[in-house]
């Protein structure tokens, strides 16, 4: 009975979708029958509407272009009034009144800024990340935005690459779940005006740029693509993402923007992507530098490969008509791309109401933006992203009393808390710095002695380029004296040190992962005072912290947490909340180990991860062991968790892995129970560990829970180089534990 009701409901749903599709088809067909070729090409053109620039500047005289039907979408214009004015031109002045799609990089919040995506992933809290995306969509959608260039799901294994900050770390399984959560959060079912269309990026493999240098070459086997890099893109497509952005890099020697195999065969035919594909900023023009040809030629290649919209190169706008006349592209190919763009506008409801994202009154907007509720959600998630790396002698949490010396360049900044993508940042006085938040948390019961202590970094290329502009330049010696004086008077020293918020992100690659020298020498001096000392490590990427690991008793990675970062740090620092973040990116011992990641293949001459001895003719280094400083999945708590004996039950090819976990410490908190597998013998070499399941559980102190994780046949399968999923019977190691290193293992045979 239940089952038949389910099928009736399913049929009803399918029918209503196909009725909607038919309506959409009829609408788009009718509209397209009235469009000229140049109007169709206009729909494929995306340019900045002014205001913010994330790529090269350009003067577009946007209004005129919109009126002439030469623009289908704009990006980088902010503010509902400006957007409404442009929309009005599109609707009232252009011949067919086709509304504009309005895009922006809403990556980790709009006005309420959430932690950078890498940090968010460390929460392993999918519901909270989905909620963050929903809030971002709500805030952006009342300010004119209908389309966000998120989620960025590029797997990144090299901490030198600045854009590691924008993704979810190194794991394809976790990355896939996060990708789906974000698509759900932004889009919902797109029926509400408070939903916006997501854009999956950067398709594909952008995170694998050589040497961690942005925009650099990528070259990899298909086996690796399908198994390690493609899963999050595929997962987002399965979640119904409305659009996809191609990447700047080559895939198999062809530009991702003009790669028919990548776009048509894999994305559309194999995964069933139904939406439209946009290039990244200026990609069609950049193809000339890659050595493919001129703008006209590249535009033909891109369109023929299945790229629908041209971001900022004006290649389609300026050359496609001529290419049609010359027979290099067909009208049918242009129609196909135009149809996909119009369908996106239809799905967003823009033909019903082009102004649905531009409410008229400011009160209406304010009711949705930077609200107490949104900020509370951000504060909660931010606290969950912090990863406690060391806590010797249970130094943390601190008591809310006494004198606390807060020292370091990140201690009293607000702009410096936000992280890489916040083009719509709120006024910097609208939210507190860490110093202000700490004063408030202490509420007169203790005193904060603040000193910047040093310049954030020595004056070099980074500073000259304007990085960390919001941290004042100070007289180094004077600042040092002040900091030491404050520290001498204090009961405890809290260092707010590390990177500047803009040391990571697009085009911000680095070759050093240690703390900048100015801060490091101050940290040495502060540690030498022999007082309790806590390091809050601000970072947009993994940090090398060898000296700190040895000499600083308490270290917590706080990343860049957004507008609520100050209060969130205090929540955890003073024990109102317990740290529960777990690393989603491996922390190396040395930049020379990169790329370093837990789910690597084995070599024929493996060396133990923590082997202190160098072994000749083994796969290892002279200077350091192979293992990381802190492994994937790692994170401490104020409490402790004991794992009992694991069990694996097999029901055919379905496995149930269970383990009792006890909160054996003094605080209630979350634990992330992680399950990994290894395929022992296979046609292709498989990684030494692969995350295949996890459970984030809340345990009260003293409580025990038996956690069960189901593994299906698919969890034990792998893709071949043609993208076909295979299961090979045989032996598997099944592992479970609190991180990727400290696991218990059971070998089983699955037939
Ligand atoms: C970035 C994209 C971004 C686009 C639009 C590009 O430079 O690579 O991630 O969405 O600009 O701002």
């Amino acid at each position: 009975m239940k089952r038949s009701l389910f099928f009736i409901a399913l049929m009803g749903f399918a029918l209503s979708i196909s009725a909607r599709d038919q309506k959409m088809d009829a609408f788009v067909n009718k509209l397209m029958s009235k469009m000229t070729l140049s109007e169709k090409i206009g729909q494929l053109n995306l340019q900045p509407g002014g205001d913010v620039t994330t790529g090269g500047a350009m003067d577009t005289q946007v209004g005129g272009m919109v009126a002439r039907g030469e623009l289908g979408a704009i990006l980088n214009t902010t503010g509902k009034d400006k957007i409404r004015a442009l929309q009005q031109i599109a609707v009232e002045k252009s011949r067919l009144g086709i509304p504009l799609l309005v895009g922006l990089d809403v990556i980790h919040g709009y006005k309420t800024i959430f932690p950078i995506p890498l940090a968010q992933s460390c929460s392993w809290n999918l519901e909270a990340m989905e909620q963050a995306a929903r809030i971002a969509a709500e805030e952006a959608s009342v300010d004119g935005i209908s389309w966000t260039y998120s989620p960025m799901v590029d797997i990144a294994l090299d901490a030198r690459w600045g854009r590691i900050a924008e993704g979810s770390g190194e794991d394809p399984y976790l990355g896939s779940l996060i990708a789906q959560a974000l698509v759900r959060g932004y889009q919902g079912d797109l029926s509400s005006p408070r939903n916006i269309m997501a854009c999956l990026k950067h398709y594909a493999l952008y995170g694998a740029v050589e040497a961690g240098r942005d925009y650099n070459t990528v070259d990899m086997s298909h086996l690796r693509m399908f198994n390690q890099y493609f899963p999050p893109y595929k997962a987002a497509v399965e979640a119904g993402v409305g659009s996809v952005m191609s990447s700047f890099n080559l895939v198999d020697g062809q530009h991702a923007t003009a790669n028919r195999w990548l776009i048509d065969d894999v994305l559309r035919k194999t995964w069933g992507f139904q939406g439209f594909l946009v290039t990244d900023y200026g990609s069609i023009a950049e193809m000339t530098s890659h050595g493919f040809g001129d703008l006209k030629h590249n535009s033909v290649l891109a369109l023929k490969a299945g790229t629908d919209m041209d971001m900022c190169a004006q290649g389609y706008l300026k050359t496609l008509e001529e290419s049609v006349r010359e027979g290099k592209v067909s009208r049918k190919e242009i129609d196909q791309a135009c149809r996909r763009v119009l369908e996106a506008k239809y799905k967003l409801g823009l033909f019903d109401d082009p102004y649905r994202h531009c409410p008229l009154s400011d009160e209406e907007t304010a009711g949705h933006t930077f609200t107490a509720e949104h900020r509370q959600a951000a504060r909660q998630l931010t606290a969950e992203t912090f990863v406690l790396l060391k806590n010797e002698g249970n130094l943390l949490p601190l008591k809310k009393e006494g004198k606390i010396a807060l020292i370091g360049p990140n201690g009293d900044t607000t702009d410096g808390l936000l992280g890489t993508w916040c083009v719509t940042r709120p006024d910097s006085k609208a939210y507190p710095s860490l110093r202000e938040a700490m004063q408030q948390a202490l509420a007169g019961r203790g005193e904060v002695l603040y000193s910047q202590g040093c310049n954030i970094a020595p004056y070099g290329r980074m500073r000259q380029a304007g990085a960390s502009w919001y941290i004042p330049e100070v007289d180094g010696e004077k600042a040092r004296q002040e900091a030491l004086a404050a520290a001498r008077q204090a009961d405890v020293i809290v260092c707010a040190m590390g990177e500047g918020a803009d040391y990571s992100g697009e085009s911000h690659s680095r070759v050093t992962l240690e703390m900048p020298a100015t801060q490091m020498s101050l940290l040495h001096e502060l540690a030498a005072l022999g007082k309790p000392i806590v390091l809050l490590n601000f970072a947009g990427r993994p940090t090398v912290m060898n000296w700190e690991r040895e000499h600083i008793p308490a270290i917590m990675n706080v990343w860049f947490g957004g507008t609520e970062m100050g209060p969130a740090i205090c929540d955890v620092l003073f024990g109102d909340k317990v740290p529960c973040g777990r690393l989603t990116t491996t922390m190396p011992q040395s930049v020379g180990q990169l790329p370093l990641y837990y789910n690597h293949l084995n070599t024929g001459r493996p060396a133990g991860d923590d082997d202190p001895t160098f072994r000749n003719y083994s796969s290892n280094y002279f200077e350091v062991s192979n293992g990381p400083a802190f492994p994937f999945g790692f994170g401490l708590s104020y409490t402790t968790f004991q794992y009992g004996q694991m069990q694996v039950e097999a029901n055919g090819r379905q496995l149930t892995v269970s383990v009792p976990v006890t909160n054996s410490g003094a605080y209630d908190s979350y634990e992330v129970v992680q399950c990994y597998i290894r395929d022992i013998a296979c046609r292709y070499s498989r990684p030494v560990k692969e995350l295949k399941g996890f459970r984030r559980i809340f345990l009260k102190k003293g409580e025990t829970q038996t956690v069960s994780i189901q593994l299906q046949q698919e969890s034990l399968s792998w893709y071949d180089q043609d993208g076909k999923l295979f299961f090979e019977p045989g032996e598997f190691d099944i592992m479970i534990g609190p991180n990727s290193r400290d696991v218990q293992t059971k070998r089983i045979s699955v037939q």
Side-chain angles (χ1 to χ4, degrees):
M1 176 65 187
K2 252 190 182 161
R3 235 173 128 174
S4 56
L5 278 178
F6 172 74
F7 280 117
I8 292 170
L10 199 70
M11 288 287 288
F13 181 64
L15 285 175
S16 77
I17 294 226
S18 78
R20 203 174 66 196
D21 283 358
Q22 278 173 18
K23 253 179 100 182
M24 178 170 77
D25 281 353
F27 179 87
V28 172
N29 286 342
K30 193 164 166 208
L31 179 57
M32 283 181 61
S33 70
K34 296 184 213 156
M35 291 173 82
T36 62
L37 178 64
S38 67
E39 281 167 335
K40 288 174 184 168
I41 292 173
Q43 287 302 306
L44 314 184
N45 187 32
L46 163 65
Q47 287 179 200
D51 264 2
V52 195
T53 298
T54 52
M58 59 180 8
D59 174 14
T60 54
Q61 295 164 343
V62 178
M65 296 185 75
V66 175
R68 290 191 297 276
E70 292 171 357
L71 258 178
I74 55 164
L75 81 158
N76 288 353
T77 294
T78 53
K80 66 178 163 52
D81 298 336
K82 263 177 273 167
I83 292 171
R84 176 175 266 276
L86 282 171
Q87 195 67 293
Q88 207 160 356
I89 299 177
V91 174
E92 293 175 13
K93 302 251 166 65
S94 75
R95 196 178 71 91
L96 293 168
I98 302 175
L100 292 165
L101 200 59
V102 182
L104 191 77
D105 293 284
V106 183
I107 311 288
H108 50 107
Y110 189 76
K111 287 287 180 200
T112 307
I113 304 294
F114 287 81
I116 54 169
L118 180 62
Q120 287 193 38
S121 69
C122 292
S123 74
W124 298 58
N125 186 342
L126 300 172
E127 292 78 27
M129 287 182 259
E130 181 174 336
Q131 188 193 21
R134 191 162 40 244
I135 289 173
E138 182 181 342
E139 295 191 352
S141 72
V142 290
D143 210 17
I145 306 299
S146 43
W147 183 32
T148 176
Y149 304 130
S150 175
M152 187 280 215
V153 306
D154 305 322
I155 295 289
L157 312 180
D158 193 326
R160 291 173 294 182
W161 191 49
R163 303 198 82 167
I164 195 172
E166 297 178 44
S168 298
E170 72 196 36
D171 187 68
Y173 172 78
L174 180 61
S176 298
L177 295 179
I178 294 176
Q180 295 190 322
L182 297 184
V183 171
R184 283 196 302 270
Y186 291 126
Q187 293 193 166
D189 63 0
L190 281 183
S191 62
S192 153
R194 300 291 73 86
N195 293 146
I196 57 179
M197 188 168 275
C199 185
L200 172 71
K201 69 187 190 186
H202 305 83
Y203 186 66
L205 317 179
Y206 184 27
V209 283
E210 281 180 5
R213 180 155 52 80
D214 212 357
Y215 317 121
N216 202 8
T217 303
V218 171
D219 195 6
M220 76 168 69
S221 71
H222 281 215
L223 209 58
R224 190 170 202 188
M225 287 180 202
F226 279 110
N227 287 289
Q228 198 177 1
Y229 282 79
F230 280 173
Y233 306 114
K234 178 170 180 278
V237 170
E238 282 163 4
V241 72
S243 65
V244 171
M245 184 187 295
S246 56
S247 54
F248 284 128
N249 51 276
L250 307 180
V251 173
D252 277 337
Q254 289 186 334
H255 200 286
T257 299
N259 191 313
R260 198 183 187 125
W261 173 79
L262 190 69
I263 298 169
D264 208 41
D265 291 359
V266 179
L267 181 67
R268 291 224 165 90
K269 297 206 179 93
T270 311
W271 299 344
F273 174 59
Q274 302 280 337
F276 74 98
L277 185 128
V278 62
T279 74
D280 202 346
Y281 208 111
S283 281
I284 295 183
E286 289 180 13
M287 284 174 64
T288 305
S289 309
H290 281 281
F292 293 105
D294 63 10
L295 191 65
K296 187 170 154 194
H297 179 69
N298 298 336
S299 301
V300 171
L301 293 182
L303 186 80
K304 281 190 162 303
T307 294
D308 305 306
M309 190 182 271
D310 168 3
M311 187 198 289
C312 300
Q314 293 199 358
Y316 283 4
L317 186 76
K318 289 185 176 151
T319 69
L320 277 188
E321 247 186 291
E322 199 178 320
S323 295
V324 173
R325 280 198 296 275
E326 292 169 0
K328 291 187 172 127
V329 292
S330 66
R331 283 174 187 269
K332 209 169 141 206
E333 284 162 325
I334 288 172
D335 278 359
Q336 177 65 276
C338 176
R339 173 178 299 279
R340 291 191 187 119
V341 172
L342 295 176
E343 282 177 359
K345 294 182 179 184
Y346 184 94
K347 287 178 196 155
L348 274 163
L350 290 173
F351 289 109
D352 294 333
D353 176 8
Y355 305 108
R356 70 194 322 232
H357 301 122
C358 312
L360 277 173
S361 82
D362 287 345
E363 290 83 70
E364 219 181 314
T365 311
H368 290 279
T369 299
F370 206 51
T371 61
E373 235 175 78
H374 291 182
R375 296 184 65 185
Q376 185 51 38
R379 179 169 172 171
Q380 178 64 29
L381 175 55
T382 307
E384 292 183 4
T385 67
F386 301 153
V387 184
L388 184 65
L389 297 173
K390 186 178 171 190
N391 194 18
E392 206 172 82
N394 292 330
L395 173 54
L396 290 177
L398 301 179
K399 295 208 175 66
K400 284 183 191 163
E401 61 184 34
K403 287 187 175 160
I404 302 177
L406 174 64
I407 292 169
N410 287 320
D412 197 21
T413 168
T414 47
D415 286 302
L417 303 175
L418 300 189
T420 168
W421 270 119
C422 36
V423 284
T424 46
R425 62 179 67 218
D427 187 291
S428 58
K429 293 197 183 66
Y431 59 98
S433 69
L434 175 56
R435 175 196 199 174
E436 289 159 344
M438 213 180 240
Q439 272 156 349
Q440 205 177 357
L442 290 175
R445 277 175 286 164
E447 200 186 335
V448 181
L449 310 171
Y450 168 74
S451 166
Q452 182 176 317
C454 57
N455 283 307
I456 185 160
Y459 281 82
R461 283 158 62 101
M462 217 169 8
R463 252 321 233 187
Q464 281 149 11
S468 56
W469 48 267
Y470 40 80
I471 310 261
E473 184 186 345
V474 289
D475 171 340
E477 183 47 31
K478 197 160 156 248
R480 173 181 161 270
Q481 295 292 353
E482 272 168 20
L484 289 170
R488 281 192 197 100
Q489 286 177 54
D491 303 306
V492 56
I493 305 166
V494 175
C495 296
M497 293 185 171
E499 295 193 292
D502 49 4
Y503 288 13
S504 51
E506 184 174 350
S507 100
H508 294 177
S509 297
R510 303 189 62 195
V511 294
T512 348
L513 301 181
E514 278 102 5
M515 193 182 291
T518 45
Q519 300 183 59
M520 197 60 177
S521 63
L522 180 61
L523 188 63
H524 276 253
E525 288 195 74
L526 292 169
L529 296 177
K531 300 211 171 188
I533 178 166
V534 180
L535 172 61
L536 301 173
N537 183 46
F538 287 68
R541 52 160 61 78
T543 314
V544 167
M545 288 193 278
N546 296 330
W547 184 88
E548 296 91 316
R549 271 201 292 156
E550 230 178 277
H551 296 95
I552 305 292
I555 306 174
M556 187 156 71
N557 237 60
V558 291
W559 315 106
F560 291 100
T563 47
E564 312 314 312
M565 187 181 192
I569 288 182
C570 295
D571 289 342
V572 176
L573 202 61
F574 297 116
D576 294 327
K577 290 188 179 132
V578 176
C580 56
R582 304 287 182 264
L583 292 175
T584 56
T585 180
T586 298
M587 293 269 210
Q589 302 180 66
S590 159
V591 71
Q593 294 176 295
L594 298 180
L596 186 69
Y597 49 98
Y598 86 94
N599 48 353
H600 59 85
L601 301 174
N602 217 1
T603 68
R605 298 183 178 194
D609 266 5
D610 301 315
D611 194 340
T613 324
F614 173 76
R615 307 212 179 260
N616 245 342
Y617 305 110
S618 267
S619 177
N620 58 176
Y621 299 102
F622 270 128
E623 297 90 342
V624 293
S625 59
N626 284 353
F630 300 102
F632 176 88
F634 179 83
L636 300 172
S637 171
Y638 294 158
T639 190
T640 45
F641 297 98
Q642 300 294 332
Y643 281 63
Q645 192 66 41
M646 80 184 277
Q647 304 286 338
V648 183
E649 260 177 55
N651 180 3
R653 291 173 181 173
Q654 185 182 305
L655 308 180
T656 306
V657 189
S658 46
V659 68
V661 182
T662 304
N663 181 342
S664 48
Y667 293 81
D668 304 342
S669 190
Y670 291 94
E671 168 69 330
V672 181
V673 181
Q674 302 161 36
C675 180
Y676 299 85
I677 67 143
R678 178 175 182 185
D679 193 340
I680 297 301
C682 182
R683 205 173 319 165
Y684 295 105
S685 176
R686 300 295 307 140
V688 295
K689 265 171 206 165
E690 293 177 84
L691 182 73
K692 291 294 178 179
F694 69 89
R695 287 276 312 281
R696 185 173 182 270
I697 53 165
F698 185 79
L699 285 183
K700 288 192 168 305
K701 52 183 183 231
E703 198 187 337
T704 299
Q705 193 180 313
T706 296
V707 173
S708 288
I709 294 174
Q710 301 274 338
L711 300 181
Q712 311 294 341
Q713 177 178 321
E714 196 180 332
S715 316
L716 306 173
S717 306
W718 39 268
Y719 291 97
D720 74 356
Q721 67 269 57
D722 297 322
K724 282 211 189 73
L725 194 64
F726 277 92
F727 169 79
E728 216 177 75
E731 294 202 304
F732 294 84
D733 275 349
I734 310 295
M735 296 162 258
I736 202 156
N739 60 61
S740 63
R741 184 189 57 201
D742 305 315
V743 291
Q744 21 176 335
T745 307
K746 249 192 175 19
R747 182 159 298 184
I748 57 152
S749 164
V750 185
Q751 294 308 314

